[in-house]
Structures are given as structure tokens and as C-alpha cells.
Amino acid sequence: MDPLTLILLILCLTIALGFEFVNGFHDTANAVATVIYTRSLKPTVAVIWSGLVNFLGTMSVLTAGAAVAFKIVNLIPTDLLTSVNGPVGIWMILSILFTAVFWNLLTWYFGIPASSSHTLIGSILGVGLAAGFVQGKGWGGLNADKTLETLQWLLYSPLIGFAAAGVLYLIARALLKNRPELFRAPDGDQPPPWPVRLLLIGTCTGVSYAHGSNDGQKGIGLIMLALIAFLPSQFTVNPAFQNTEIQKAIVQIHEARPLLENAKFSDKGLTEKAQKAAADLADLESRIAGKTSLSSLSVADKADVRGDILKVNSTLKKVAKAPETSKADGKIFDGLRESLSGAVEFVAWWVIILVALALGVGTNIGWKRVVVTVGEKIDRRHITYAQGATAELVAMITILLATKIGAPVSTPHVVSSGIAGTMAASGAGVQLKTVRTLLLAWVLTLPVTILISAGLFWLTAGRFLAK
């Protein structure tokens, strides 16, 4: 590796870890705001504890998988992902990282609990759009299916948080009429009764863990993209995908290929894609047949194998869901897609540890600006014990469920919406000035980050794509 490339690799890794570091004090402040403002924990204790739990949440990727990471990565159009090696990949990563870190720092400076998820997703979409227009595809440069699916979750999760927290608060108020102290603001520095205190600490712990398990994967995905771009020989395909997995994939290819070749769909475009996928599978089989490990492939073959798998998997998912596909055939397509995913969707263990450390340490620095906004400026009155517990309980469940199905969601949006939902349910009202600022940041994040990353990518990588 030449010195310039090495410097750029170190820069990319540093910025990616910086994104997770900023994410720590930007997003996790939402988890500790309620325990701090209900006097359940001292600020220093709360942020240290939250940082530790964020670290553990990110480390859960070792056992639970990295579905969210690859959901983020796959927002990048397939043809751009397949050419991630070389200058295009390098400038793609840098454009995404610079934009994401810049917007996170800017919103943190003003104490706005904007979303790191929206920031990262907007940065990725900007790169896809820029690539599409440079290549003459226009809006077709976006991975439309993945984009729509991701944006739906970003939209639904705060609405779920608002409604569910409001309903849960009303239920708690109806069931706990004999505990009026739960529905009053803390008295000075007096902590709540121990049962309530343990509940609030528990929900803070749950939100911190959920945040680590979901947001930590976004940094993991970014670093793996950088490693693929700079070190294709080691990271283009999974070196642990060996003889047993290869033989299983070949058997599944033999089952799926004739089905794809003979498939007839009402959507002619899907029929053409199915036939193209069959040809790509034939090419894929020719490259991996007789190999005991994907690590034995040449660098060029690794890139081609990765490209074939990414393109085929996108088609297999659509074909499996087509109304003309039988359940039995759908299982064959889904089984093959799952097997092939193991060849390209993998994470180095040391990446998980580095991201977990960056997120955990970041939680302990710079948290106060956003905590003040969440704890003091959403409600017209001080947050109560019941409001803090219900909002965070809903946030914890929502984020953990999203992580389970591989959906990237926004911790600030879910927590802030949950608190606003309890305010509406309590009749306390909200501070409209703060809510307008939050909404403005939420609405602006996607278009602003799209424009910035698109501009950076066009200025840096445009000439390579236009060739």
C-alpha cells in the first residue's frame, strides 16, 4: 500500500470512529436525560453507566449479528457497491464520513437532539444520487427499495414512540391513582422512592443497551466499507466462508438456476432480472467451484464474486416475493440468498471492539447540551417520574425490536417523541419553540446531508464515474 493510500485509510478509520464517538455524546444523552432530571442518578454516574452499557450493546453484534449494519451499507446502489474498490470507494467513504460528522457536531453544538441515523442515511443517499446523475441514471441512482424501507422505519418509529408512551402514561395514571408522587416533578435534589428509582435506572439501562446494539452497527458498517475499499484482498469477501459453506451454496445454486431461467412474471423487467441472475449465478459457481475457501481467490475474482452476490441477492429477494412464485420456490430463493449473504456480510471482531469503545467513551463527553434540551425544554414543566419511565420503556422496546429485524432507527427521535407523548397525555403541553426547533432539525437533516455528501462526492469522484 502506497503512503498516500495508507494515510487516507487511517483518516477514514479515524473519522468513522469519530462518528461513533460523536454519536455517543449526541444520541446517548437521550438515554440519561430522564434519570438525571428525575434525580434517580447523579449525572456523572449516569453517563459512566450509560457508556458501559452502550459498549455492551455494541458488543452484542458478536452473537446477535449485524443486520442493521448491512441494512445501512445496502442503501448504497448495488452497482456502486460492486465498484467500491479504488478511488470511487475511497471518495465515497470520505464524502459520507465528512458529512455525517459535520452535521452531528453542528446540531450537538446547538443542543439539538437530531438523529445520527438520519445524518448517516442522508449522507449515503447523497452519494447514491450524485453517482446516479453523473452516470446518467438520474433518480435511478438510488437503491429505491432499500431507501423506501429505511425511510418508513425512520418515520414510523417516532410516531410509535409518541403514541405508545402517551397511552402507557394514561394507563399508569389510571392504575396508580394512589401514588400521586409519581406524577409530580422531583422535589429539589430528592431522589424518587427506591422502586421508582430502580425502574428509571432500568429503563435508562435498556435504552443505552438498545442504542449500542442499533447505532453501534452503523459505525461498524462504515468501517467495513472503508476496509473493502482500501484492503480488497482481505475484506471483499468473507475469508471464513470455506468448503462446507461453498458446497452448500453450489447445491442451492443448482436448485435455483433453472427456476430463474424459466421464470415468467407479469412484470417483464423482473423476468429479465431473473434471467440475468441465473447467468450471474453460473458465473459465480464457475469462480468458487473447487475452492476450499474464498480467501484463495484472486483479488479480481473476489471483487467479481462480491459483485455477483450483491446483484443476485437483490433479485432473489424480489423474485421470492413475486405473486407468481410458489412457497416452495420462495424458500429455495430465500435459502440461497441467506447462504450467499454469509460470503459478503461479515464483520472483523476488532472492528466491533473499536466501535464499542468509541461509542462508550463518547457517551461520557459532551452529553450536557442535549440532556438539557431533552430534560428541560420539551415540556413546559419539569419532567416527572412517570413521564421519564414510560417514555424510556417505550423507547427501549421500540429500538430493541427494530434491531432484531435489522431496521435502523433514531434514538433521539424515539425518546424525544416519547417524552412529548407523555406531555400531551398529561395535559401539561409542550414548549412550542423547542418543538419547532427539533422538528426543523429533523426535517432539515436528510435534505442538508444529502446535498452536502452529493456535492462532495461529485467534486471528488465524479470524474472517475464519468469515464
Side-chain angles (χ1 to χ4, degrees):
M1 181 183 293
D2 62 85
L4 177 59
T5 304
L6 178 60
I7 291 171
L8 287 174
L9 171 59
I10 294 172
L11 178 64
C12 280
L13 295 180
T14 302
I15 297 174
L17 291 173
F19 171 80
E20 283 302 321
F21 182 83
V22 175
N23 189 355
F25 61 72
H26 191 285
D27 282 19
T28 313
N30 294 270
V32 299
T34 53
V35 290
I36 291 174
Y37 276 90
T38 57
R39 311 294 190 259
S40 297
L41 286 176
K42 296 292 185 183
T44 302
V45 175
V47 294
I48 291 175
W49 175 246
S50 182
L52 174 62
V53 178
N54 261 279
F55 173 85
L56 296 175
T58 305
M59 291 298 292
S60 69
V61 172
L62 288 170
T63 55
V68 175
F70 294 107
K71 185 80 74 173
I72 291 289
V73 168
N74 290 334
L75 282 174
I76 300 172
T78 302
D79 58 343
L80 192 56
L81 268 178
T82 58
S83 61
V84 73
N85 301 341
V88 172
I90 292 171
W91 291 118
M92 176 181 72
I93 299 299
L94 287 172
S95 299
I96 292 170
L97 290 174
F98 273 120
T99 303
V101 172
F102 166 76
W103 189 250
N104 261 3
L105 285 174
L106 186 67
T107 52
W108 163 80
Y109 180 79
F110 289 103
I112 300 171
S115 165
S116 295
S117 299
H118 284 66
T119 301
L120 179 56
I121 289 167
S123 302
I124 291 173
L125 295 182
V127 164
L129 272 177
F133 278 98
V134 169
Q135 295 173 321
K137 299 176 182 178
W139 295 98
L142 289 177
N143 191 335
D145 292 339
K146 299 290 185 184
T147 299
L148 180 60
E149 182 182 344
T150 301
L151 292 181
Q152 283 176 336
W153 268 102
L154 292 180
L155 173 63
Y156 294 155
S157 55
L159 296 178
I160 292 170
F162 180 90
V167 170
L168 185 59
Y169 176 84
L170 291 174
I171 292 173
R173 195 165 65 178
L175 295 177
L176 300 171
K177 290 180 179 179
N178 60 335
R179 300 297 301 272
E181 70 275 10
L182 298 179
F183 302 91
R184 290 197 296 262
D187 182 15
D189 291 330
Q190 185 67 28
W194 267 109
V196 179
R197 193 175 184 183
L198 289 175
L199 174 62
L200 289 164
I201 293 172
T203 55
C204 166
T205 302
V207 172
S208 299
Y209 183 87
H211 177 265
S213 68
N214 196 282
D215 276 53
Q217 292 193 45
K218 296 157 191 172
I220 288 170
L222 281 174
I223 290 180
M224 289 307 298
L225 268 179
L227 292 174
I228 293 168
F230 286 92
L231 299 170
S233 61
Q234 291 100 316
F235 295 99
T236 300
V237 292
N238 186 358
F241 199 86
Q242 299 185 359
N243 186 57
T244 302
E245 291 84 2
I246 290 173
Q247 295 307 315
K248 179 182 177 182
I250 289 175
V251 170
Q252 291 173 315
I253 288 172
H254 290 165
E255 291 180 313
R257 269 187 63 197
L259 297 176
L260 293 169
E261 289 170 343
N262 299 317
K264 301 293 181 183
F265 300 101
S266 55
D267 181 350
K268 292 183 179 179
L270 185 57
T271 301
E272 293 174 359
K273 289 180 179 178
Q275 293 171 350
K276 177 66 169 59
D280 288 335
L281 284 173
D283 179 71
L284 175 62
E285 182 183 354
S286 70
R287 295 179 189 278
I288 65 175
K291 303 294 182 181
T292 57
S293 172
L294 294 186
S295 60
S296 63
L297 294 169
S298 67
V299 174
D301 278 345
K302 287 177 180 177
D304 288 337
V305 164
R306 180 178 178 83
D308 284 342
I309 290 175
L310 290 174
K311 288 182 285 187
V312 166
N313 275 3
S314 177
T315 300
L316 287 175
K317 185 173 183 179
K318 295 176 182 177
V319 168
K321 292 183 176 180
E324 295 88 350
T325 301
S326 66
K327 287 185 178 180
D329 291 351
K331 288 182 179 180
I332 291 174
F333 296 140
D334 286 337
L336 175 57
R337 184 163 60 88
E338 183 179 351
S339 293
L340 295 180
S341 293
V344 292
E345 295 184 357
F346 70 102
V347 179
W349 63 268
W350 57 268
V351 172
I352 299 172
I353 294 175
L354 284 177
V355 171
L357 285 171
L359 189 60
V361 173
T363 301
N364 291 273
I365 299 173
W367 51 271
K368 190 172 183 179
R369 289 179 183 270
V370 177
V371 165
V372 171
T373 298
V374 175
E376 296 181 8
K377 296 183 179 180
I378 295 178
D379 187 11
R380 289 179 180 171
R381 302 184 308 218
H382 199 294
I383 190 171
T384 67
Y385 304 132
Q387 289 169 336
T390 52
E392 292 224 317
L393 183 60
V394 167
M396 175 186 71
I397 295 172
T398 302
I399 298 168
L400 286 175
L401 287 175
T403 302
K404 181 71 174 178
I405 64 174
V409 294
S410 164
T411 299
H413 286 201
V414 177
V415 174
S416 300
S417 297
I419 292 174
T422 65
M423 304 311 174
S426 69
V430 295
Q431 295 190 40
L432 293 179
K433 180 180 178 181
T434 298
V435 171
R436 281 196 297 267
T437 302
L438 294 177
L439 289 174
L440 184 62
W442 295 351
V443 170
L444 285 178
T445 293
L446 277 175
V448 169
T449 51
I450 286 172
L451 287 173
I452 295 174
S453 67
L456 287 174
F457 188 65
W458 177 74
L459 289 171
T460 55
R463 66 184 184 277
F464 297 105
L465 289 174
K467 290 181 179 180

